[in-house]
Amino acid sequence: MIPLTWSLALSAVLFTIGVVGVLVRRNALVIFMSIELMLNAANLAFVAFAQQMNSLDGQIFVFFVMTVAAAEVAVGLAIIVNVFRLRETIFVDEINLLKG
Amino acid sequence: MLWIIPALPLAAVLLNLLFGDRLGKRGTSVLACGAVILAFMAALRAVLQLAGIPEEDRRIVETLYTWMRVGDFSANVSFLLDPLSAIMVLVVTGVGSLIHVYSTAYMAEDPSFRRFFMYLNLFMFAMLTLVLADNYLLMFVGWEGVGLCSYLLIGFWYEKHSATEAGKKAFIVNRIGDFGFILGLFFLINWTGSVDYERVFAAAPHLFPIGGIAITAATLLLFLGATGKSAQLPLFVWLPDAMEGPTPVSALIHAATMVTAGVYMVVRSHVLFQMAPFTLEVIAIVGAATALMAATIGLAQNDIKRVLAYSTVSQLGYMFFACGVGAFGAGIFHVMTHAFFKALLFLGAGSVIHGMHHEQDMRRMGGLAGKMPVTHMTMLIATIAIAGIPPFAGFFSKDEILAAAFSSGHFPIWIAGLIGAVMTAFYMFRLYILTFRGEPRFIEHAGHDAQGHGAHTDEPHGQGHPVHESPAAMTIPLVILAVLSIIGGFVGMPFQEGGHLLERWLRPVLESAGGLPHSVGHQLSHATEWALIGLSVAIAGFGIFMAFRVYLQRPSLATSLRERFAGLHNALIHKYWVDEFYDAIAVKPIYRLSQWLWRFFDEKIVDGIVNGVGYTLEGGSAILRLFQTGYVGTYALFITLGVLALFLHILRS
Amino acid sequence: MNLVPQPSFLPVDWWALGAVITLTLGCLVLLLLEFLPAREKGNRGGIVSLLTLVIAGYSVYRVAGEKRALFEGMFVHDPLTVFFTLLFCAVGVLSVLISWDYVKRTRINQAEYYALLLSAVLGMVIMAASNDLITIFLGLELMSLALYVMVGFRRARLESSEAALKYFLLGAFASGFLLYGIALLYGATGTTNLARMGAFLGDTTVIDNPLLLIGSLLVFTGFAFKVAAVPFHMWTPDAYEGAPTSVTGFMSAGAKAAGFAALLRVLLRALGPIEAQWGDLIAVVAFLTMTVGNVTALLQNNLKRMLAYSSIAHAGYILVAVAAGGPEGAASAVFYLAVYSFMNLGAFAVLTMMGQGRDERVLVSDLAGLGFRQPLLGVALTVFMISLGGIPPTAGFMGKIYVFSTAVKHPELMWLVIAGVLNSVVSVYYYLRVTVALYMREPDGESVAISWGTPAVIALILTLAATLYLGLVPQDLWVLAQRSVSGLL
Amino acid sequence: MVPYLFLGFAAMLVATALMVVLHKNPVTSALFLVLAFCSLAGIYLLMHAEFLGMVQIIVYAGAIMVLFLFVIMYLNLKHDIETGVQTAVRRGLGWGLGALLLLTSGTLLTRGWSMGPVLAELPAQGEGNAAAIGKVLYSRYLFPFEITSILLLVAMVGAIVIAKGRKGPEGEGA
Amino acid sequence: MPIPWLSFLVFFPLAAAALIALMPRSAERSVRLWATIAAAAEFVFSLPLWWRLIPGMPHFQFEERLDWIPAIGAQYHLGVDGISGLLALLTTFMTFIAVLGAWTAVEQRGREFFALVLVLEAGMLGTFFCLDLLLFYVFWEAMLIPMYLLIGIWGGKRRVYAAVKFFLYTMAGSVLMLIAILSLYLMQKNMTGVATFDLAAFYQMPIAPAQQFWLFLAFAFAFAIKVPMWPLHTWLPDAHVEAPTAGSVILAAVLLKMGTYGFLRFAMPLFPNALQQCGPWIAWIAIIGIVYGALVAMVQTDIKKLVAYSSVSHMGFCMLGLMAMNPQGFAGSMMTMLNHGISTGALFLLVGIIYERRHTRAISDFGGLWKVIPVFSVIFLIVTLSSIGLPATNGFIGEFLVLLGASRHNMAWAVVAALGVILSACYMLWMFQRVVFGPITHEENQKLTDLTLRERLVFVPLLLLIFWMGVAPQPFLDRCQPALDRTLQLTNDRAAAAGRMVGQLRGEPASATSNLTGGGQ
């Protein structure tokens, strides 16, 4: 039995890494990957809690999250590809037509 | 039927306004003069009716309707005829009708003939309202009404800048006086709760301690109004300028009637004034000072009308110090006589100007005696009258005033009066001599002069007519007035038991004030009285003699005197620089202040703040837009910051 | 095989689920129809989606009085659900109407467009109707995904694609926070069901459990992002400006309402107790949102962008109501949302008509002189601007009255109310700029061409009527709003 | 035993996650992400969430990451070279914020936190975790399950709409 | 229920406006005729306010009460008393005059113009009639829109600036009043449990002096901007200068009265104790306004701006009269409202007439007009005189009563305020002299045409009123006084009640409201 503190700490760290990734990277794809890290951190938390509370709900939730993630990936990658097609870059700091 | 008296001129105004253009000049003049003459008839009838009433209740009150009633305050439109207003009404309508007749000829060729008579009639209406009103508020209506008419008539030749300026000046200076009047009125209303003479006078003695603050303030304020209307210090400055108006106007408004309104008001409220000795002192001093100062200025003026104007101011001064020393009756007496001879003088001057094709500068006159005999004779009579030579009208009234001053122990005032008398005699005869005697100093066919007084083209006469006597329509009124100036004084013949005629006539009014001491002329022994008479006659004689000596026999003397006292003379020419003084201390600073308020306070401060808010917000907007960089990174950063902020908040709590 | 026994469905349950089912079916039908040959400018997409929305709305309306909890209380049919479902259907209908000719003239392929629109509505309905964080999350994702795509629909336009990218990345980022928040709440309460969570929090004594606090804050963040509250608002202007105008209208009305619907339900049902811990935060956020939105809008020249900021500001006003808290606050928020949807969609109805073919003319200067050449558009736009500015006699004013009169009840919120009204003064400045352009300026160069379309005009008139009607007699909607927040399941 | 495994996986997870964020080359990042997912799957297994562990491998490491890699290849991205002060600032801010987030939440949690009620009923150990999940998924969680189906549909449609080839109504005019 | 006459008065112009707006473009010419007919009809319909209104009645008349938003107890509640009755008459009358005067002024977009004017009329009437605070606020703000458009569309060069300034200025003032209204509503609800915006209910409700202060400030701020009181007046000159003639006329004649009316109807009776505190201050501000407005008017170069600043001065008299808190002051204030409406309205019309002919308003561009257009000049003269308050014209009655009232409360007020009377003569006559007197300096003025028959018709009623109200004001006074006295009574009673409240709290004897009742003696 893994102490909840450990897993929570782990998920927190993972989540933070994801956030930081979003903040520091300029490549839309990598940013997106970081977001995936955040989702997974949440999943970890769910699973951890579920295990502690002997309930399946957490795991179910994780299952749904994975589906959502898959869907998001599909749409997101499509959008990124489209952007790349139009302006040959996916660096978010080169994409600021709209501002002010 | 009192209301008919003011109503007639008003009706004439309306008729002229609506149908005047169809009536033509003749119709207009008939309408205008007719209305005033009828008013005079009506007044006469009313006065006779009044005389019929036994003395103790000799007053006719006629209430038309309630003007305004608000809370505990109410004022009626109602007229009062009592001995006092009777005199005024007769003088106003009488002299008024004469001047109307005179004007028909004087203004004959003026393109805005109709407008002139409408104004004139309107003035009659206002003036009659003033004197017939039986409460202060209605009096105030007339009071401002005459001010308005004088504004319009002074500025009658509106294309002449100086004329409109003078008109405006007259109105505004009068407004300053009215400011005092209305405030004084508030005192009366707030204490006595009414504006009716009867109620106010009845209530006053019980409400005010003699010489109390309230009554003193009230009366002083009222007197401020009087100084405005009657051109006393410090508000006399408008009257000389008012000579810009047509001469008949000067005669009617600025000599005979309107300017005496102040005196009338003071006499009317003598009950109040007698309760404020301090005010009376002030009045006496102001009156005397004005009389002296105006007389001195009069010595040095060369414009015939201005000389008369200053003499008017000076004479008004006499009337006021008469009131000041408590001789209200004498004041009114002088108002009456002064109306006769001063109107006559002005009309005569008008006739001269008329004959001289609008020459007003006496230095270009002289020797007119032969050319316009009627004018000459009448003018001479008037001059003697004002100089105070018995048995002419001026003598009696002025003598009574001086006597009153003497007997009431105001010796400085009395002395001033005497000096004033000398100077009056002197400058009046100076005027007479410069105009009618000596060598003609003008070129026949003289056109317009340099001073610009005649510069307006509205008046008749092209150039080149010889100097001539004026038409009958002008001379007849002169004659009538001359007669009045001779006999007008007899109503005030001294040495009669129980006071003279006028005094007895006025008694119901002047004694209504619960036995307060008033006209004091009769505590004097006959001997003293004779002495005073002799003195004043001698004084007048001296003045006249000097005038003849200086201006007729040795004209060089005049110039040498002028050189001797150059500084003084200069001061007199410039009327002691009073106008300049007012301009410097009041007009200019106010103007500058206003400019500052507008340009700086209004536009910079207030609007600056208002618009400043706008600019600040737009600046904020610009700044906030900088955060909207368009970079996903920035946006994510702010989201994270937000979350962090939330965390920190709960960390604190 | 001992399966958990299925609860047997009564007819009423089917009606209650009607909206969800119909919308799903409509979405499928639209996609299937694609396989049949169609004219370039056919109307079937629009017609089908209109029918779907109407039926969906009807089926819920038919059982409006009922209260049902389905799927173990994950899906509840209660007044709030009914109110919002109807609102979303109305928004959907109006959006379809204003999209009708716009999608044609911009050559957006209709089937997918309408399908996505319906699924977005579906997502919103689920958000409003679900009583469980799982379903709320799923509904939110459903709506968001559809919107991401719709924003990027004009994929040949740089702006459109860029907007989609930003919206997507930030949306995903935000839903990451939301998800983590849900996880923590789940951990702290052992359930994701709002009712049970509420019950648990009602009993428990450890209110200041950090898990709870952090979780609730993260959840709040997620919703705050959707409703564009400062500082989670920055995606809004870009997304609104880049998106096709019709989509902007749709999301500004729908997504915001959905976000608030979920937020309100969560606050009312579950987090009420711990909201006390950070309720004052909402006030601060509300203040920031109003102020930043209004002030930034002052200098905007692009109408879509201006309306984006104005929508941020309005989110602020609604948050004032939320900060006031309790059923009353919720009721006023609900009322305001409905009002806002109408006036805002109306404004966008005008915008979609501006320009012809594939170009959009949405600069303030494009309006120059329009008021007199196109009286209807002029009057309508003026009314909408006045209403957005909260000036009587329009719906916007009533919304403000309701919100502020609720907030005034709390002395500690007085500062917020004052800030609010002053904000509305500031906002009037940029709303007036529109009327200035409409009536007081002459177009330099040729004036903007208007592409008229019956459906859009209908939408215009409907919204106009609603804005004025609700401004003059708000009573009915007022009562509805009050009823909608009472007795949640 | 289990704790050590957990620690191992955790260390690996953190390391790989860091690499994802740190490494210049997106391809490498993607590959590290795969590793991260795998280690996470391991942790799931340790937590008796076998089903999820499998799904994690299959869906994430299998499907999603392949999609990622495919796209990266398709766009054949150059390294994103980041230089300049503005990058440094962004880095600093990013890491700083991350640290602060951890710090604050950490301090909050150290105040002592409590977990939700523990349910008596253990997941039926007889048949595996997968079966148990399956049961509830199709009964209690039917509604969300249906939603996810629509979600996927929408995602599919959306992806197609956006990523469709150059031709297509919106194609011209770009 | 009797015929909803007031509603009819409010909505008839709206209907007319709608019809006019919907007329075909081809009807541009005939629009003005129809508009005039509509305005005239409205005036005729409103005339019964003159004789069917029973002044003595102790309550509002022709009341109409419908539930409007039962959810919050807001009602559609109209009613009229002497005060609002006279003001409503002024409104319908001046609107008619303005419409008649605008025939040739509006070159283009006549339909929109006249429609807006009628809408504005409806709004103003509603504001005067309504007895429900929320309804009042609705009318109060809704009124801004048509005026804003009138200024902004048909105005002069800087019209947009002026219009927006007008709108924001006024709104900034009124939003705080909205909060105050809402808090009042809340108090009422907490105190009595009744949710209502009914004015009468608030008249009944005691308010603790402490709370009164801020509420009063909120109300006073809104009204002070509308009046406008110095130093919140700066929107007025811009608005007046830029607005089209009809706009200026209505703005001066009616809109400004909303402010004073608001004080009289709402701010003062509702918060008497706050009034006790602030009254003297407000009075002094009003006095400053009187003098300030006059001084600034004196140096204006634009006739319209001069008249605008003179409005500031005149409205100062209105406020002073109100603050005097005695019958004379109130009556004077009321009369000044009417007089200012008529005289200043007439002045703006006159300015508009020469502006139409010369397209300039600079004083220096005129001079010697009397020679060319005597009829105009005479009318101008009369109006000028009434504006400077010459006795026997309407202006005098108002100013006299105000000053009388002020002098009863505090002689110093009257003394300083009376300076305004002098100054008004200065600036008006100076302007008149420069415009009408003197030689003709500009050739363009040589061929000015005198008033047309229509223009004369516009002024006949105005002049008649000027003299009627000056010579026999009693009919007007009779109509408004009972209502004014009631307001005064109400204010004093409420003050006394609150005073007792505090007294009991402090355990002191009820403090008599001495400086409210005012009488100097």
Side-chain angles (χ1 to χ4, degrees), chain C residues 372 392 409 435-436 440 472 475, chain E residues 68 70-71 109 141 148 152 159:
Chain C
F372 288 107
K409 293 196 173 79
T435 59
V436 168
M440 307 171 195
L472 293 172
Q475 168 69 9
Chain E
W68 174 33
R109 291 163 185 161
E141 269 208 349
Y148 158 77
R159 59 185 195 278

Side-chain angles (χ1 to χ4, degrees), chain B residues 179-202:
Chain B
F179 165 79
F181 190 121
I182 201 84
L183 288 178
L185 205 48
F186 290 150
F187 269 99
L188 296 185
I189 298 171
N190 290 341
W191 264 270
T192 67
S194 167
V195 284
D196 298 358
Y197 299 142
E198 217 180 350
R199 305 251 303 281
V200 173
F201 300 155

Side-chain angles (χ1 to χ4, degrees), chain B residues 65 69 144 158 175 602 607, chain E residues 165 233 292 309 438 474:
Chain B
Y65 62 93
R69 187 183 335 98
E144 284 229 323
Y158 54 81
R175 266 266 161 148
D602 225 46
D607 254 3
Chain E
K165 190 175 182 181
H233 62 281
Y292 182 97
Y309 276 107
Q474 199 54 39

